[in-house]
Amino acid sequence: MNNIKVIVAGPRGRMGSEALRMIEKEDTFDLVACVDHKYNGLRVSEVEGLPAFEAFIFEDIEECLQTTDADVLVDLTTPEVGYKHTKLALQHGVRPVVGTTGFTTEQLDELKQLAEEKGVGAVIAPNFAVGAVLMMQFSKWAAKYFPDVEIIERHHDQKLDAPSGTAVKTAELIQEVRESKKQGHPDEKETIEGARGADHDGMKIHSVRLPGLVAHQEVVFGSSGQNLTIKHDSFHRESFMSGVKLSINQVMKLNLLVYGLENILE
Ligand code: NAP
């Protein structure tokens, strides 16, 4: 079988550079290009701190997609850029594997429709860490018995979107099994705006941003006389790379968009 030809967008980022290191170790993946908004025309190896790949860097994603023979685009950039890249990749028949978070529901619906129209596989996963996917699944299970739940997510302070994609996805999974319910006292009032966190179908999501953190989440269930806490910590970005690797392999077998790593785990 031929190697899978991969483009990485965001190669200098914390996740993107980790993805390059993962591809470097993988015999079955070839890095064929990178997309960045700096260093146009340089080889990846010429950029300080990046692995010694001969692949070229493109500032223009369309030029990259038109001139490079690629199977997969791995996007690890920012919400607006990632959305644009995913759309263009689908239009050019290159399968997106997207870790970038912060897409709106409308954007996700539009991308799902486009993938189906074009018959091009895509994976969008707000969390590539297998432990985090299990945390979300266990939370969905627990919510059947504990409908009162609050989500506390903690991330490094350079994160652009809040709440995290994982927190939103967790809330959506819980919503599937939990009857819609506004939690807390019916007359509760915030004396400082935002004190009770963001509201998703009556459950609260709290976002903590501090230097030193990577990606952490607690899902706290409350009931009379007992609490249940389901917690996951990513201490290093390497924790996401087995999910990126799995998604690159699986997206080659898909002809539609799959949202969430749990939907491609065996
Ligand atoms: P980061 O370190 O800020 O990396 C983002 C990279 O994208 C930066 O190198 C940035 O360059 C680059 N960039 C900005 N505009 C670009 C453009 N037009 N074309 C190409 N590259 C561009 O962020 P990160 O921590 O790696 O996270 C990246 C994304 O992944 C975020 O959305 C984050 O929430 C998400 N994430 C997902 C997972 C998961 O498991 N799915 C896990 C962690 C993070 P400059 O710095 O020069 O602007």
Side-chain angles (χ1 to χ4, degrees), residues 90-230:
L90 287 170
Q91 282 163 351
H92 284 83
V94 175
R95 301 160 188 85
V97 166
V98 182
T100 306
T101 57
F103 293 179
T104 64
T105 312
E106 292 73 37
Q107 287 174 332
L108 285 171
D109 288 345
E110 189 196 332
L111 293 170
K112 264 183 209 159
Q113 204 182 327
L114 182 61
E116 208 173 307
E117 269 167 34
K118 297 277 175 192
V120 178
V123 175
I124 300 183
N127 203 317
F128 281 122
V130 174
V133 171
L134 293 175
M135 178 242 324
M136 289 188 252
Q137 294 296 323
F138 295 157
S139 299
K140 180 178 177 182
W141 188 21
K144 275 190 198 169
Y145 309 99
F146 294 89
D148 287 276
V149 50
E150 304 218 356
I151 299 170
I152 307 164
E153 55 97 343
R154 300 183 176 86
H155 281 82
H156 59 89
D157 63 348
Q158 299 305 302
K159 186 167 174 60
L160 293 177
D161 53 317
S164 70
T166 304
V168 174
K169 176 82 184 164
T170 309
E172 286 169 358
L173 288 172
I174 289 174
Q175 192 179 2
E176 284 175 24
V177 296
R178 168 187 175 275
E179 228 168 81
S180 191
K181 166 176 187 178
K182 186 178 180 309
Q183 291 174 200
H185 195 286
D187 297 330
E188 74 181 7
K189 280 197 179 59
E190 291 180 334
T191 53
I192 299 179
E193 200 189 321
R196 289 286 290 120
D199 190 279
H200 181 101
D201 196 38
M203 66 188 114
K204 298 293 180 186
I205 306 178
H206 310 271
S207 298
V208 178
R209 297 289 176 264
L210 285 171
L213 294 171
V214 177
H216 316 261
Q217 181 169 294
E218 273 172 56
V219 187
V220 187
F221 296 90
S223 129
S224 182
Q226 59 177 328
N227 270 194
L228 169 69
T229 302
I230 300 171

Side-chain angles (χ1 to χ4, degrees), residues 12-15 35-37 77 99 101 125-128 159 240:
R12 288 174 302 107
R14 285 164 291 230
M15 285 289 283
V35 179
D36 202 336
H37 61 159
T77 59
T101 57
N127 203 317
F128 281 122
K159 186 167 174 60
F240 303 116

